[in-house]
Each structure stands twice: as structure tokens, then as C-alpha cells.
Amino acid sequence: METITALKHGLLYGTLNLRDALIRFKELGDAIGSQHLSCWAQLELIGYPYRSELAAYRLYPCVYNVNLINGKERIYDIPISYELVNADDEDGRWLYHCETVTGIFEGYRLEDGCGSNPVKHLHSKMHELLNGIYGPNIEILAVFEVLTARSFRKIILAAEEIMLDFLLSLERKFGPSPGADVLSLYSDDIDILFAEALERTDRADHLDLPIKYKPLDLEGYEDAIIELFDDCEATDEEIDEMFEILDQERESVMSADNLGIVITEHVKKMCDLYPKFGDKGVKLTKAIVGYYGLDKVAE
């Protein structure tokens, strides 16, 4: 069957994008009379009903951003980890990804974006931390799920793996390029093969691979931070304070995309004082990322 061969080669050699592969997979399901295959491909194409029963690879822990108000000031996108969401709130532990990952999301592999599903509760330790930084009178406006590039890519890779795994199992059982007329006689066997492919992929932990990186075009990060402060005509005390905070917060830094609340707020404070640090402190943030040895960005 030409569809099986073309689909297998497209997945093996990366010549088919996910959308086209799922369309062909649905056509295969329709041709052999397998509702299980057709339904899965259709839902991957258009998205799942919210909170429907999802396969394990579409369920994963996530991080959050907090929006709050402190007096008249609104502060947005403060990063926190999912461990600091109230443990009694199951929605705070996992993100149920129901949307399609084809189309716009497939091109979203190496970009980060924010979801729109609010979480109602925060752990008391998070309230204490926020109160310590912003004062006792803060009001939490919202906590939002953050959908990362890594999570999107993992779902894409899982869907591709499931299809390829199933097609290879199909060939092992029925021989190369079996016809639709033959396969249609074995719909129960085919559904079992597909269920086994889903089970082997499971939560897709083996696909949680690091993104390929290239170094930032910025050398001598400690010197770069000092030069940025000197260029802004900041005081020696402000430079010392910056490095003191960086050393104190080293263990709290999660990643290049999440430097933690204290550093994020200090960068914001410095940017308010010295606009030369760049829009939203991008220059200073890049130098800090390098200072911590996280000097890589996705290619």
C-alpha cells in the first residue's frame, strides 16, 4: 500500500511535516476501517476536547508565571515552579495539553509562549516569598501555565514516534506494503498494534532531550556586567550589590529562561534607574545568563 510506504519514509527521513503525516495516517485508518487510528489522528490534528482522557505523552509537569498588584503597580510574568502551587490543587501539578500541535504550534518548537489557563491556588511558601519581596499588601491577579518549547516539541516527537512505531509493527506482522483490502480483515489486530505503540511511547520521557544550542555572542561575562554598569555610570556600590545578589541566588537559578524572582526584580530595578541596560534589561540579562554558565540559546 503506497500510503504506508510513503508515510514510513516521510517519518524516517523527516520529509513530512507533522500535519501532512497525520492526514496520511488518518487516510490509512479510514482505508482499513480502523476507527482507533482515524480518531487519534483527527484529534491530534484539531485538538482534544478540554480535560478529555489524554495519552500520557500529553500530560506533563509545568511551570507558572504570577501576575500581581502592589499598590498601584502591576507586576507581570514572575516565574515560579509548579512545586510552589498548592499541592491540593491537582491542576497545579500537571498541564493537560489538549490543543493541536500542528500548524502554528509546529513552528513553535523553539519559541516559548504562555498559556491562558489560570490556577486558583499558590502554596503558602510562595505567598511568603512574594510578600517578602513586594510587601504584605500584594494581591495575586493570576497564575498562568507556561507552555514551553520543550513541551511542544516533545509532543510533536511523540506523535511522530507513535506513527512510525505502529507502521514498523504493521510491516513485521503483515509484510512490506500490505494492501488495504488485506488489513481491513484484521481491524482488531491493528487496533492492538496501535495500542501497543501508544503504550511504548507512554509519557515520552525518553524524548525529553535537550534543545540544540549555540553560544551567545557575548564574551567575558563578569567583565561584560561591569562594563554595562560603567556605561550606565552606575556606582561601585551598585556593581557590588549586583554581584552579591548573583552569588546569593546562584542555587535558586533554574535555567536561562528562569533566573528567579530576586534577580528578575533586581534587573527590573536597575533598568528603571538606567535605561541603557536595554529594553526589559535584555543586555544585562544576557550577561547574567553567561555569568552563570547558561550561555546558550536555541538554534
Side-chain angles (χ1 to χ4, degrees):
M1 185 175 179
E2 185 179 353
T3 300
I4 294 177
T5 303
L7 182 54
K8 182 186 71 173
H9 288 170
L11 289 167
L12 275 172
Y13 302 116
T15 55
L16 271 180
N17 62 38
L18 180 59
R19 180 178 180 275
D20 290 343
L22 286 169
I23 288 173
R24 292 194 184 189
F25 199 78
K26 184 179 182 304
E27 290 173 349
L28 171 62
D30 293 341
I32 63 180
S34 173
Q35 187 176 359
H36 196 177
L37 268 64
S38 299
C39 183
W40 176 82
Q42 178 71 0
L43 289 173
E44 289 292 331
L45 280 166
I46 66 173
Y48 291 77
Y50 191 64
R51 289 294 187 268
S52 60
E53 185 176 348
L54 298 176
Y57 65 90
R58 279 181 164 267
L59 177 66
Y60 49 87
C62 65
V63 296
Y64 298 90
N65 281 350
V66 178
N67 295 344
L68 59 82
I69 187 168
N70 183 20
K72 294 184 178 180
E73 183 182 12
R74 290 175 179 263
I75 303 169
Y76 297 98
D77 298 332
I78 304 167
I80 63 170
S81 65
Y82 76 92
E83 288 87 354
L84 289 175
V85 176
N86 192 317
D88 295 331
D89 180 8
E90 282 301 316
D91 286 351
R93 307 296 297 179
W94 299 95
L95 174 62
Y96 299 77
H97 189 78
C98 298
E99 296 88 346
T100 171
V101 293
T102 59
I104 185 172
F105 288 119
E106 191 173 358
Y108 201 23
R109 292 173 190 247
L110 300 179
E111 299 293 337
D112 281 333
C114 193
S116 58
N117 297 324
V119 177
K120 296 178 181 178
H121 307 293
L122 282 180
H123 195 284
S124 58
K125 289 183 179 179
M126 191 65 215
H127 280 289
E128 291 171 9
L129 180 59
L130 292 172
N131 287 336
I133 295 172
Y134 299 106
N137 299 318
I138 64 170
E139 177 186 352
I140 304 296
L141 297 176
V143 185
F144 292 95
E145 297 167 345
V146 179
L147 310 180
T148 65
R150 192 167 184 161
S151 299
F152 278 123
R153 189 186 65 161
K154 189 172 173 180
I155 295 175
I156 291 169
L157 292 175
E160 292 172 343
E161 178 186 83
I162 289 164
M163 287 187 285
L164 184 56
D165 186 2
F166 168 76
L167 293 173
L168 293 174
S169 297
L170 203 63
E171 284 198 345
R172 284 193 294 269
K173 187 172 182 65
F174 296 100
S177 302
D181 54 340
V182 174
L183 294 176
S184 63
L185 301 175
Y186 299 94
S187 58
D188 290 343
D189 291 338
I190 287 170
D191 285 345
I192 290 172
L193 290 176
F194 184 67
E196 289 172 348
L198 283 171
E199 186 176 351
R200 280 190 290 271
T201 295
D202 192 39
R203 203 177 289 281
D205 291 335
H206 57 290
L207 298 176
D208 195 12
L209 305 173
I211 296 172
K212 292 182 179 180
Y213 291 106
K214 61 181 180 182
L216 286 170
D217 187 18
L218 189 63
E219 297 179 357
Y221 297 108
E222 184 172 345
D223 291 341
I225 292 173
I226 294 172
E227 287 176 8
L228 285 170
F229 274 82
D230 286 343
D231 188 46
C232 294
E233 299 182 358
T235 65
D236 290 341
E237 289 77 9
E238 287 170 329
I239 295 174
D240 291 341
E241 182 186 17
M242 182 78 259
F243 282 107
E244 184 178 339
I245 289 173
L246 292 179
D247 291 340
Q248 288 175 349
E249 295 298 311
R250 184 177 296 274
E251 298 300 320
S252 301
V253 174
M254 297 180 185
S255 68
D257 299 320
N258 191 345
L259 296 175
I261 296 172
V262 175
I263 294 175
T264 301
E265 282 306 303
H266 192 71
V267 169
K268 182 177 182 296
K269 173 185 172 183
M270 289 295 98
C271 291
D272 291 341
L273 290 173
Y274 304 110
K276 282 188 177 181
F277 278 126
D279 184 37
K280 297 184 179 179
V282 63
K283 294 179 182 177
L284 182 55
T285 299
K286 283 186 177 182
I288 291 171
V289 166
Y291 180 76
Y292 282 130
L294 303 169
D295 52 331
K296 302 187 188 305
V297 294
E299 288 183 331

